[in-house]
């Protein structure tokens, strides 16, 4: 750097010296150093032409200055005369002026007095040396005579340093000066034009001034460039270089114009030669030509000096810019390499399985490939720095250390990658050994488990099994771990705590397996070594005893049928042999039980390995799709391959695949790996993350849109290019199906795991996890159908959770309007797809769509919906165990639904019962809350017989516990104030039910507790039925009194208008038109039994109040359910 600064200072000094010399020589050329006077300054004075330098020369080469006839010569101011004389005498070269000037004074048309005055003035003011003065005296006789006489007598007045010669004629002048050196007005042939001479002089002097100013300007510019401080960043350096280059170009343009100006002047001087080759330039013209040529040479020298300086300055700026680029790239590469090194430090995992290590090696290869981009940039930057050093860059001391640092980082990265790869290779080798050992152990345990115990009881079977075991053990030399300490020593560099424990577990498993084989060998050797026993003459019973699995009965039978001591001894011998054989068989069976447990453990491990391996493959496939397809859709280099119909459709095509990938890669896969040693507990992992699995529902709901978009754009070159880059054999649509396949795969793996874990600790968790996964699959399947519904105006989400969906045959049986006329039943059923939600059931018509894949999925045209708050069901319909009824608004609308199977019907009925039961519970809680509020402000009647509170609690409780009749009210209601009658215009529902219909239907609703008919019979038969809207006759027990408290008396016809809380009814007496509340407890003591009456309530032994139902079709008073209109009605039997 210092060397460069010294070079630049030296270059600047050299340029300044050369440009100063140019300025000085320009002044010398123009004699500005002696007479700083220019033609432009006295241009008007020179135009008067009272004296001019024609360019002629005397015999000795003296310059000739001519004073032509100028009548007003005496009027010229002295200053002007002096300036013109000074300027004219400064034009010739110093050599010519040193000889002296010849003055030709033409006064032929003047008077002697003027001649005398002119000569005296010139002699007194001439600033240079004079060689000769030639005066053409007046040509008139008188003036010539006068001049001769006056000149003789006044000779002393004309005494000068040079002689003055009076000439009488022009020919006499030619004797002193050749005609070729005189102008035409003096009889010569010299071509002279005063205006042209003046123009040339002005141009030459202007050019000389331009040369001088250019030199000075370049000098200043060079100083400015040299003093410019170098910036510290790329952008500023580029701006400085651009600004300096721009100024240099402007300077060069000015110099080019100056050169053009000089050549133009030179051509103007040579113009006569161009017109006439024989023309010869006079001395002054030659001097002008020489002057211009010398000025041009100085200008070229100026340009050369500046170019040389600029080349060095430009080189400095360019090298500075190179340095700034190098430094900037160095910082960027350094940051990238630091990140690579930081990432490298995190790669410390050596893997926990063979597949995991292979995955780590693949990740390392990917990491190395990505990191090589930064490493290659660093190496390229090192090469660039070396080239700068070779090109003698001025900042070598700054570049060289940076190159060394980059080289060190690259070498360090390569070494770390190699070290990491060696560790993983070691880990891969170790895990290969471990898995080989585990596989050998598993095969051994399979072998033990596959040997049938019954066949091993024979000598041949035992020998064959023994040979199998020995043959298998021979394979252990190349499959099992030989020395544990050797493993520790050889793989010390990668053994961490977890891996060490894993090695110990495998070795322990290997030892345990070998011990099992040893025990089996001992048992089999005993069986194979047993000799055939000789046949003993024994009695049949003891002989039969030896085959009995129980020794006690045989002993007893033998003692009873034998009396000889020999027989007893023989039987004792047989007993001992039988006992010995049974002991051996029990040992074999106990061994086989342990082998079975080990076999199940191996099967569980296999299922777990399959779960983990497929999970890793699944995660890798998702990542491959996201990086190879989804990310490439945002790559500007690939945009030209994407069709317009595919642009901005990434979310449609891939759905929430990225969310699924992050869940499995960051959470689920890692948690699964924690259960590799206890696979029977893996159900807990599924249960803990069951909520996260809901993301699959969103993916599956988007799948039809994704499939449709894929069919439109499957031929897009973008997909073909991505598939080519990924080297996939299958197209993208196969990979988009992976999440759907994966969520269905889990339930199969869980079933397999549960199959082998029935007696294990985690069996319940596995069963619950399997149920949850199946529930998710059902929810996904239901949601796929749900999104296919068309024509529904509302928001399906407002209907609550979708509980069930399916296709059914549906008949309708409606009663509409005041006529209560049944609709004609449809002989041909409607095919409807029902969607059961928490708040409504939807009836849709299924429409099959043409197409392939998801496009072939059906759509559902919405027809109608029933609010679950007004729905009831009849569980059984006579004649078909697959049918049930759904009725609406107290059987105003009845739908007979036939399921495909009785099982589907039972599932739907149970689910609807659950919904209605939950609504019943909600209604009860609301009713109890309102009753509690009313009890605090209810006014009690004076008579105890009319008290609504007596016995009501028991009656109401009884009513809630029994089944209801289809003729029942829609539920208990609550009024704001008990004595207050219902609002006008409100009352019973507009639907009334015939007795015929009620006799055949026995349903239940959410307003009451749903109980089976068998339960009702056990409680004492069918309970009292609730009243329906209509007219009734009051029947009173004559033994009791207290009718005064009621708005009716025995025999009156009343119309029930509304049901209240606590068993109270609001009635209107049709005879007296009185209205009022009738408490059920009071009626029970006043009204007697009637054969045709419907029970209102019951309490203890007291007579039950009865109403005779006259004609429910006669009138339809509107009902106010007062808070219970939305409670549901459900029939249980029909």
């Amino acid at each position: 750097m210092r060397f460069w600064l010294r070079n630049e200072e030296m270059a600047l000094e050299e340029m300044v010296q050369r440009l100063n010399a140019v300025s000085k020589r320009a002044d010398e050329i123009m004699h500005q150093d002696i007479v700083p006077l220019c033609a432009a300054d006295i241009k008007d004075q020179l135009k008067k032409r009272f004296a001019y330098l024609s360019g002629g020369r005397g015999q000795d080469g003296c310059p000739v200055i001519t004073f032509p006839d100028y009548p007003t010569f005496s009027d010229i101011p002295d200053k002007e005369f002096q300036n013109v004389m000074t300027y004219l005498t400064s034009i010739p070269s110093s050599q010519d002026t040193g000889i002296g000037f010849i003055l030709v004074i033409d006064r032929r048309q003047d008077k002697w007095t003027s001649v005398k005055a002119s000569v005296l003035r010139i002699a007194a003011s001439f600033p240079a040396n004079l060689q000769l003065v030639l005066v053409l005296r007046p040509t008139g006789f008188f003036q010539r005579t006068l001049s001769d006489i006056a000149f003789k007598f006044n000779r002393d007045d004309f005494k000068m340093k040079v002689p003055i010669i009076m000439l009488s004629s022009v020919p006499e002048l030619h004797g002193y000066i050749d005609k070729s050196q005189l102008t035409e007005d003096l009889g010569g042939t010299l071509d002279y034009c005063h205006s042209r001479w003046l123009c040339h002089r002005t141009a030459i002097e202007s050019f000389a001034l331009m040369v001088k100013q250019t030199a000075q300007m370049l000098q200043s510019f060079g100083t400015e460039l040299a003093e410019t401080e170098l910036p510290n960043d790329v952008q500023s350096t580029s701006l400085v270089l651009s600004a300096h280059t721009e100024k240099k170009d402007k300077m060069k343009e000015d110099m080019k114009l100056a050169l053009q100006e000089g050549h133009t002047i030179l051509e103007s001087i040579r113009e006569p030669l161009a017109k006439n080759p024989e023309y010869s330039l006079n001395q002054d013209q030659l001097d002008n030509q020489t002057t211009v040529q010398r000025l041009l040479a100085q200008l070229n020298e100026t340009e050369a000096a500046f170019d040389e300086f600029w080349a060095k300055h430009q080189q400095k700026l360019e090298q500075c810019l190179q340095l700034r680029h190098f430094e900037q790239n160095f910082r960027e590469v350094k940051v990238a390499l630091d990140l690579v090194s930081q990432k490298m430090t995190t790669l410390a995992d050596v893997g926990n399985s063979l597949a995991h290590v292979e995955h780590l090696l693949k990740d390392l290869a990917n990491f190395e490939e990505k990191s090589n981009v930064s490493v290659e940039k660093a190496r390229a930057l090192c090469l660039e720095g070396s080239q700068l050093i070779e090109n003698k860059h001025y900042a070598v001391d700054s570049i060289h250390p940076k190159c060394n640092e980059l080289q060190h980082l690259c070498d360090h990265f390569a070494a770390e990658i190699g070290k990491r790869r060696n560790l993983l290779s070691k880990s891969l080798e170790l895990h290969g050994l471990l898995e080989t050992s585990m596989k050998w152990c598993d095969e051994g345990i399979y072998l033990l488990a596959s040997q049938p115990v019954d066949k091993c009881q024979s000598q041949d079977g035992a020998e064959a099994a023994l040979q199998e075991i020995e043959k298998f053990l021979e394979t252990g030399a190349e499959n099992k771990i030989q020395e544990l300490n050797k493993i520790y020593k050889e793989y010390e560099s990668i053994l961490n705590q977890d891996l060490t424990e894993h090695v110990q577990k495998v070795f322990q498993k290997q030892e345990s397996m070998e011990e099992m084989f040893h025990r089996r060998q001992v048992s089999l050797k005993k069986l194979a070594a047993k000799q055939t026993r000789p046949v003993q003459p024994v009695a049949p019973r003891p002989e039969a005893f030896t085959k009995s699995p129980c020794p006690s009965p045989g002993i007893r039978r033998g003692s009873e049928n034998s009396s000889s001591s020999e027989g007893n001894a023989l039987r004792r011998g047989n007993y001992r042999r039988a006992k010995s054989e049974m002991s051996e068989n029990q040992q074999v069976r106990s061994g086989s039980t342990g082998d079975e447990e080990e076999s199940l453990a191996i099967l569980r491990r296999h299922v777990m390995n399959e779960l983990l391996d497929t999970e890793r493959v699944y995660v890798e496939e998702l990542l491959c799709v996201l990086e190879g397809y989804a990310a490439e859709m945002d790559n500007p280099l690939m945009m030209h391959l994407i069709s317009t119909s595919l642009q901005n459709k990434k979310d449609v095509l891939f759905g929430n695949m990225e969310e699924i990938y992050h869940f499995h890669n960051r959470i689920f896969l890692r948690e699964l790996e924690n259960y590799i040693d206890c696979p029977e507990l893996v159900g807990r992992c599924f249960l803990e993350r069951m909520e996260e699995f809901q993301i699959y529902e969103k993916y599956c709901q988007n799948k039809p849109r994704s499939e449709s978009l894929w069919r439109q754009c499957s031929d897009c070159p973008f997909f073909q290019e991505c598939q080519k880059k990924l080297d996939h054999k299958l197209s993208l649509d196969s990979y988009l199906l992976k999440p759907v396949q994966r969520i269905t795969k889990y339930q199969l793996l869980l079933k397999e795991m549960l199959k082998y874990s029935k007696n294990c600790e985690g069996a319940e968790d596995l069963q619950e996890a399997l149920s949850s996964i199946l529930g998710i699959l059902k929810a996904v399947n239901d949601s796929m159908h749900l999104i296919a519904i068309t024509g529904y105006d509302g928001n399906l989400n407002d209907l609550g959770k979708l509980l069930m969906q399916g296709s059914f045959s549906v008949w309708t049986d409606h009663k509409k309007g005041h006529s209560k006329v049944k609709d004609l039943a449809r002989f041909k059923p409607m095919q409807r797809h029902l969607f059961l939600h928490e708040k409504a059931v939807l009836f849709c018509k299924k429409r099959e769509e043409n197409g392939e894949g998801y496009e072939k999925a059906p759509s559902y045209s919405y027809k109608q919906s029933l609010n679950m708050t007004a729905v009831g069901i009849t569980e059984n319909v006579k004649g078909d165990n697959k049918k049930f009824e759904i009725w609406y608004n107290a059987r105003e609308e009845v739908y007979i639904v036939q399921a495909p199977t009785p099982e589907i019907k039972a599932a739907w009925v149970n689910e609807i019962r659950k919904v209605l039961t939950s609504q019943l519970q909600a209604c009860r809680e609301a009713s109890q809350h309102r009753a509690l509020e009313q009890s605090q402000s209810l006014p009690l009647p004076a008579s105890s017989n009319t008290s609504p509170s007596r016995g009501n609690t028991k009656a109401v409780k009884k009513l809630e516990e029994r089944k209801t009749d289809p003729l029942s009210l829609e539920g208990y209601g609550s009024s704001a104030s008990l004595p207050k009658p219902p609002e006008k215009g409100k009352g019973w529902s507009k639907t009334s039910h015939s007795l015929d219909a009620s006799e055949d239907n026995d349903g239940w609703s959410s307003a009451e507790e749903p109980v089976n008919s068998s339960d009702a019979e056990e409680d004492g038969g069918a309970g009292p039925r609730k009243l329906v809207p209509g007219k009734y006759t009051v029947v009173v027990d004559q033994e009791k009194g207290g009718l005064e408290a009621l708005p009716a008396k025995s025999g009156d016809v009343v119309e029930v208008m509304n049901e209240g809380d606590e068993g109270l009814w609001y009635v209107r007496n049709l005879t007296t038109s009185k209205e009022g509340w009738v408490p059920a407890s009071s009626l029970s003591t006043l009204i007697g039994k009637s054969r045709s009456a419907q029970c209102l309530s019951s309490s203890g032994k007291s007579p039950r109040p009865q109403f005779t139902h006259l004609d429910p079709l006669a009138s339809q008073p509107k009902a106010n359910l007062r808070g219970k209109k939305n409670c549901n009605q459900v029939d249980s039997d029909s």
Side-chain angles (χ1 to χ4, degrees), residues 54-78:
S54 63
R57 291 293 185 270
Q59 294 178 355
D60 297 332
C62 301
V64 177
I65 296 178
T66 303
F67 290 87
D69 187 21
Y70 193 81
T72 59
F73 183 79
S74 58
D75 297 333
I76 296 174
D78 292 339

Side-chain angles (χ1 to χ4, degrees), residues 789-799 842 861-865:
I789 296 177
T790 60
Y792 184 74
D793 294 334
N795 187 352
L796 292 173
N797 294 328
D798 296 339
L799 303 182
L842 271 62
S861 178
Y862 168 76
K863 293 300 181 182
Q864 64 190 111
S865 63

Side-chain angles (χ1 to χ4, degrees), residues 1051-1064:
D1052 288 346
V1053 178
V1054 297
E1055 180 180 13
V1056 178
M1057 301 182 65
N1058 191 27
E1059 177 186 9
D1061 291 337
E1062 304 294 336
L1064 297 180

